[in-house]
mmCIF file of all heavy atoms in Angstrom:
data_model
loop_
_atom_site.group_PDB
_atom_site.id
_atom_site.type_symbol
_atom_site.label_atom_id
_atom_site.label_comp_id
_atom_site.label_asym_id
_atom_site.label_seq_id
_atom_site.Cartn_x
_atom_site.Cartn_y
_atom_site.Cartn_z
ATOM 1 N N ARG A 438 -3.334 37.231 67.144
ATOM 2 C CA ARG A 438 -2.772 38.575 67.167
ATOM 3 C C ARG A 438 -3.058 39.293 68.487
ATOM 4 O O ARG A 438 -3.933 38.904 69.257
ATOM 5 C CB ARG A 438 -3.357 39.386 66.012
ATOM 6 C CG ARG A 438 -3.033 38.808 64.644
ATOM 7 C CD ARG A 438 -3.629 39.645 63.537
ATOM 8 N NE ARG A 438 -3.247 39.145 62.223
ATOM 9 C CZ ARG A 438 -3.619 39.716 61.073
ATOM 10 N NH1 ARG A 438 -4.403 40.789 61.093
ATOM 11 N NH2 ARG A 438 -3.227 39.216 59.930
ATOM 12 N N VAL A 439 -2.306 40.383 68.699
ATOM 13 C CA VAL A 439 -2.591 41.268 69.823
ATOM 14 C C VAL A 439 -3.939 41.934 69.568
ATOM 15 O O VAL A 439 -4.175 42.504 68.495
ATOM 16 C CB VAL A 439 -1.497 42.348 69.969
ATOM 17 C CG1 VAL A 439 -1.812 43.261 71.145
ATOM 18 C CG2 VAL A 439 -0.133 41.710 70.132
ATOM 19 N N GLN A 440 -4.817 41.847 70.558
ATOM 20 C CA GLN A 440 -6.154 42.425 70.422
ATOM 21 C C GLN A 440 -6.323 43.563 71.422
ATOM 22 O O GLN A 440 -5.799 43.495 72.540
ATOM 23 C CB GLN A 440 -7.211 41.351 70.672
ATOM 24 C CG GLN A 440 -7.093 40.147 69.763
ATOM 25 C CD GLN A 440 -7.997 39.005 70.184
ATOM 26 O OE1 GLN A 440 -8.716 39.104 71.174
ATOM 27 N NE2 GLN A 440 -7.954 37.915 69.447
ATOM 28 N N LEU A 441 -7.051 44.596 71.022
ATOM 29 C CA LEU A 441 -7.351 45.717 71.907
ATOM 30 C C LEU A 441 -8.804 45.636 72.337
ATOM 31 O O LEU A 441 -9.711 45.589 71.501
ATOM 32 C CB LEU A 441 -7.082 47.052 71.206
ATOM 33 C CG LEU A 441 -5.635 47.316 70.786
ATOM 34 C CD1 LEU A 441 -5.497 48.694 70.169
ATOM 35 C CD2 LEU A 441 -4.700 47.170 71.972
ATOM 36 N N LEU A 442 -9.031 45.591 73.659
ATOM 37 C CA LEU A 442 -10.373 45.498 74.217
ATOM 38 C C LEU A 442 -10.817 46.859 74.719
ATOM 39 O O LEU A 442 -10.073 47.566 75.401
ATOM 40 C CB LEU A 442 -10.401 44.497 75.374
ATOM 41 C CG LEU A 442 -9.908 43.075 75.077
ATOM 42 C CD1 LEU A 442 -10.047 42.216 76.320
ATOM 43 C CD2 LEU A 442 -10.678 42.467 73.924
ATOM 44 N N ASP A 443 -12.052 47.219 74.415
ATOM 45 C CA ASP A 443 -12.593 48.506 74.873
ATOM 46 C C ASP A 443 -14.113 48.434 74.811
ATOM 47 O O ASP A 443 -14.701 47.504 74.270
ATOM 48 C CB ASP A 443 -12.071 49.641 73.981
ATOM 49 C CG ASP A 443 -12.142 51.001 74.684
ATOM 50 O OD1 ASP A 443 -12.517 51.034 75.877
ATOM 51 O OD2 ASP A 443 -11.814 52.010 74.052
ATOM 52 N N GLY A 444 -14.738 49.448 75.409
ATOM 53 C CA GLY A 444 -16.189 49.558 75.356
ATOM 54 C C GLY A 444 -16.869 48.903 76.541
ATOM 55 O O GLY A 444 -16.236 48.284 77.398
ATOM 56 N N ASP A 445 -18.181 49.058 76.591
ATOM 57 C CA ASP A 445 -19.004 48.469 77.642
ATOM 58 C C ASP A 445 -20.313 47.998 77.005
ATOM 59 O O ASP A 445 -21.142 48.832 76.606
ATOM 60 C CB ASP A 445 -19.275 49.497 78.741
ATOM 61 C CG ASP A 445 -20.023 48.901 79.921
ATOM 62 O OD1 ASP A 445 -19.993 47.654 80.046
ATOM 63 O OD2 ASP A 445 -20.605 49.664 80.703
ATOM 64 N N PRO A 446 -20.536 46.714 76.859
ATOM 65 C CA PRO A 446 -19.647 45.622 77.298
ATOM 66 C C PRO A 446 -18.355 45.586 76.478
ATOM 67 O O PRO A 446 -18.319 46.023 75.331
ATOM 68 C CB PRO A 446 -20.489 44.371 77.075
ATOM 69 C CG PRO A 446 -21.408 44.742 75.956
ATOM 70 C CD PRO A 446 -21.738 46.189 76.183
ATOM 71 N N GLU A 447 -17.319 45.028 77.084
ATOM 72 C CA GLU A 447 -16.001 45.011 76.479
ATOM 73 C C GLU A 447 -15.978 44.124 75.245
ATOM 74 O O GLU A 447 -16.533 43.037 75.237
ATOM 75 C CB GLU A 447 -14.994 44.500 77.517
ATOM 76 C CG GLU A 447 -13.554 44.847 77.204
ATOM 77 C CD GLU A 447 -12.645 44.496 78.365
ATOM 78 O OE1 GLU A 447 -12.609 43.311 78.746
ATOM 79 O OE2 GLU A 447 -11.971 45.402 78.893
ATOM 80 N N ARG A 448 -15.314 44.611 74.193
ATOM 81 C CA ARG A 448 -15.188 43.831 72.970
ATOM 82 C C ARG A 448 -13.870 44.197 72.284
ATOM 83 O O ARG A 448 -13.227 45.191 72.625
ATOM 84 C CB ARG A 448 -16.358 44.093 72.022
ATOM 85 C CG ARG A 448 -16.365 45.471 71.394
ATOM 86 C CD ARG A 448 -17.464 45.626 70.352
ATOM 87 N NE ARG A 448 -17.357 46.888 69.612
ATOM 88 C CZ ARG A 448 -16.625 47.019 68.509
ATOM 89 N NH1 ARG A 448 -15.949 45.989 68.022
ATOM 90 N NH2 ARG A 448 -16.572 48.179 67.886
ATOM 91 N N VAL A 449 -13.502 43.381 71.298
ATOM 92 C CA VAL A 449 -12.292 43.644 70.525
ATOM 93 C C VAL A 449 -12.591 44.736 69.496
ATOM 94 O O VAL A 449 -13.485 44.588 68.657
ATOM 95 C CB VAL A 449 -11.802 42.362 69.822
ATOM 96 C CG1 VAL A 449 -10.613 42.675 68.919
ATOM 97 C CG2 VAL A 449 -11.424 41.306 70.849
ATOM 98 N N VAL A 450 -11.827 45.827 69.577
ATOM 99 C CA VAL A 450 -12.051 46.951 68.661
ATOM 100 C C VAL A 450 -10.958 47.068 67.612
ATOM 101 O O VAL A 450 -11.126 47.744 66.590
ATOM 102 C CB VAL A 450 -12.163 48.277 69.440
ATOM 103 C CG1 VAL A 450 -13.373 48.250 70.360
ATOM 104 C CG2 VAL A 450 -10.888 48.562 70.236
ATOM 105 N N ALA A 451 -9.789 46.423 67.875
ATOM 106 C CA ALA A 451 -8.686 46.498 66.921
ATOM 107 C C ALA A 451 -7.723 45.354 67.199
ATOM 108 O O ALA A 451 -7.785 44.696 68.243
ATOM 109 C CB ALA A 451 -7.965 47.845 67.015
ATOM 110 N N ALA A 452 -6.844 45.099 66.234
ATOM 111 C CA ALA A 452 -5.824 44.066 66.381
ATOM 112 C C ALA A 452 -4.537 44.560 65.747
ATOM 113 O O ALA A 452 -4.548 45.425 64.862
ATOM 114 C CB ALA A 452 -6.275 42.758 65.736
ATOM 115 N N VAL A 453 -3.427 44.006 66.210
ATOM 116 C CA VAL A 453 -2.113 44.371 65.679
ATOM 117 C C VAL A 453 -1.643 43.246 64.775
ATOM 118 O O VAL A 453 -1.551 42.087 65.206
ATOM 119 C CB VAL A 453 -1.098 44.589 66.821
ATOM 120 C CG1 VAL A 453 0.270 44.961 66.258
ATOM 121 C CG2 VAL A 453 -1.595 45.675 67.765
ATOM 122 N N ASP A 454 -1.332 43.557 63.508
ATOM 123 C CA ASP A 454 -0.872 42.502 62.609
ATOM 124 C C ASP A 454 0.619 42.239 62.816
ATOM 125 O O ASP A 454 1.270 42.849 63.675
ATOM 126 C CB ASP A 454 -1.201 42.833 61.158
ATOM 127 C CG ASP A 454 -0.435 44.048 60.634
ATOM 128 O OD1 ASP A 454 0.548 44.473 61.281
ATOM 129 O OD2 ASP A 454 -0.815 44.568 59.569
ATOM 130 N N GLY A 455 1.188 41.319 62.049
ATOM 131 C CA GLY A 455 2.571 40.914 62.245
ATOM 132 C C GLY A 455 3.578 42.013 62.037
ATOM 133 O O GLY A 455 4.698 41.951 62.547
ATOM 134 N N SER A 456 3.200 43.062 61.294
ATOM 135 C CA SER A 456 4.113 44.179 61.056
ATOM 136 C C SER A 456 4.005 45.259 62.120
ATOM 137 O O SER A 456 4.774 46.225 62.104
ATOM 138 C CB SER A 456 3.817 44.787 59.685
ATOM 139 O OG SER A 456 2.531 45.417 59.690
ATOM 140 N N GLY A 457 3.055 45.107 63.030
ATOM 141 C CA GLY A 457 2.862 46.113 64.071
ATOM 142 C C GLY A 457 1.788 47.124 63.754
ATOM 143 O O GLY A 457 1.497 48.002 64.567
ATOM 144 N N ALA A 458 1.189 47.021 62.570
ATOM 145 C CA ALA A 458 0.133 47.959 62.184
ATOM 146 C C ALA A 458 -1.154 47.653 62.932
ATOM 147 O O ALA A 458 -1.493 46.497 63.167
ATOM 148 C CB ALA A 458 -0.105 47.892 60.677
ATOM 149 N N LEU A 459 -1.863 48.715 63.296
ATOM 150 C CA LEU A 459 -3.119 48.583 64.018
ATOM 151 C C LEU A 459 -4.260 48.477 63.009
ATOM 152 O O LEU A 459 -4.452 49.357 62.172
ATOM 153 C CB LEU A 459 -3.324 49.787 64.933
ATOM 154 C CG LEU A 459 -4.379 49.647 66.034
ATOM 155 C CD1 LEU A 459 -3.991 48.550 67.003
ATOM 156 C CD2 LEU A 459 -4.523 50.977 66.780
ATOM 157 N N VAL A 460 -5.004 47.373 63.085
ATOM 158 C CA VAL A 460 -6.095 47.112 62.144
ATOM 159 C C VAL A 460 -7.412 47.172 62.906
ATOM 160 O O VAL A 460 -7.608 46.453 63.889
ATOM 161 C CB VAL A 460 -5.931 45.729 61.484
ATOM 162 C CG1 VAL A 460 -7.081 45.468 60.514
ATOM 163 C CG2 VAL A 460 -4.591 45.631 60.778
ATOM 164 N N THR A 461 -8.316 48.035 62.456
ATOM 165 C CA THR A 461 -9.616 48.161 63.097
ATOM 166 C C THR A 461 -10.456 46.905 62.852
ATOM 167 O O THR A 461 -10.493 46.376 61.736
ATOM 168 C CB THR A 461 -10.370 49.386 62.561
ATOM 169 O OG1 THR A 461 -9.595 50.560 62.819
ATOM 170 C CG2 THR A 461 -11.730 49.533 63.241
ATOM 171 N N VAL A 462 -11.119 46.443 63.910
ATOM 172 C CA VAL A 462 -11.984 45.279 63.804
ATOM 173 C C VAL A 462 -13.434 45.752 63.817
ATOM 174 O O VAL A 462 -13.870 46.392 64.787
ATOM 175 C CB VAL A 462 -11.732 44.299 64.965
ATOM 176 C CG1 VAL A 462 -12.728 43.143 64.922
ATOM 177 C CG2 VAL A 462 -10.310 43.760 64.902
ATOM 178 N N PRO A 463 -14.208 45.479 62.764
ATOM 179 C CA PRO A 463 -15.604 45.919 62.728
ATOM 180 C C PRO A 463 -16.394 45.301 63.874
ATOM 181 O O PRO A 463 -16.088 44.195 64.333
ATOM 182 C CB PRO A 463 -16.109 45.411 61.376
ATOM 183 C CG PRO A 463 -14.881 45.118 60.578
ATOM 184 C CD PRO A 463 -13.827 44.746 61.551
ATOM 185 N N PRO A 464 -17.405 45.982 64.372
ATOM 186 C CA PRO A 464 -18.216 45.427 65.464
ATOM 187 C C PRO A 464 -18.954 44.178 65.031
ATOM 188 O O PRO A 464 -19.311 44.000 63.863
ATOM 189 C CB PRO A 464 -19.184 46.568 65.803
ATOM 190 C CG PRO A 464 -19.209 47.430 64.587
ATOM 191 C CD PRO A 464 -17.874 47.315 63.959
ATOM 192 N N GLY A 465 -19.197 43.305 66.006
ATOM 193 C CA GLY A 465 -19.917 42.072 65.732
ATOM 194 C C GLY A 465 -21.012 41.867 66.751
ATOM 195 O O GLY A 465 -21.792 42.782 67.036
ATOM 196 N N CYS A 466 -21.070 40.669 67.349
ATOM 197 C CA CYS A 466 -22.130 40.368 68.309
ATOM 198 C C CYS A 466 -21.950 41.188 69.588
ATOM 199 O O CYS A 466 -20.877 41.732 69.864
ATOM 200 C CB CYS A 466 -22.139 38.879 68.624
ATOM 201 S SG CYS A 466 -20.589 38.245 69.289
ATOM 202 N N ASP A 467 -23.004 41.276 70.382
ATOM 203 C CA ASP A 467 -22.994 42.138 71.567
ATOM 204 C C ASP A 467 -22.164 41.573 72.709
ATOM 205 O O ASP A 467 -21.544 42.314 73.457
ATOM 206 C CB ASP A 467 -24.440 42.367 72.044
ATOM 207 C CG ASP A 467 -25.256 43.164 71.046
ATOM 208 O OD1 ASP A 467 -24.644 43.949 70.298
ATOM 209 O OD2 ASP A 467 -26.489 42.982 71.013
ATOM 210 N N ARG A 468 -22.163 40.246 72.869
ATOM 211 C CA ARG A 468 -21.476 39.629 74.010
ATOM 212 C C ARG A 468 -20.398 38.681 73.505
ATOM 213 O O ARG A 468 -20.655 37.522 73.225
ATOM 214 C CB ARG A 468 -22.474 38.898 74.903
ATOM 215 C CG ARG A 468 -23.546 39.791 75.508
ATOM 216 C CD ARG A 468 -24.570 38.950 76.260
ATOM 217 N NE ARG A 468 -23.948 38.181 77.339
ATOM 218 C CZ ARG A 468 -24.539 37.160 77.953
ATOM 219 N NH1 ARG A 468 -25.752 36.773 77.580
ATOM 220 N NH2 ARG A 468 -23.917 36.508 78.924
ATOM 221 N N GLU A 469 -19.179 39.197 73.392
ATOM 222 C CA GLU A 469 -18.069 38.386 72.906
ATOM 223 C C GLU A 469 -17.484 37.546 74.038
ATOM 224 O O GLU A 469 -17.164 38.065 75.103
ATOM 225 C CB GLU A 469 -16.967 39.274 72.331
ATOM 226 C CG GLU A 469 -17.362 39.999 71.063
ATOM 227 C CD GLU A 469 -16.242 40.871 70.539
ATOM 228 O OE1 GLU A 469 -15.230 41.059 71.264
ATOM 229 O OE2 GLU A 469 -16.370 41.378 69.419
ATOM 230 N N ALA A 470 -17.314 36.259 73.784
ATOM 231 C CA ALA A 470 -16.630 35.393 74.740
ATOM 232 C C ALA A 470 -15.160 35.274 74.407
ATOM 233 O O ALA A 470 -14.302 35.228 75.296
ATOM 234 C CB ALA A 470 -17.274 34.007 74.744
#
Side-chain angles (χ1 to χ4, degrees):
R438 299 180 176 181
V439 180
Q440 303 170 359
L441 297 183
L442 304 182
D443 202 4
D445 185 19
E447 199 172 59
R448 70 174 188 88
V449 175
V450 297
V453 180
D454 66 15
S456 68
L459 196 63
V460 180
T461 301
V462 175
C466 58
D467 294 333
R468 299 174 60 195
E469 293 180 350

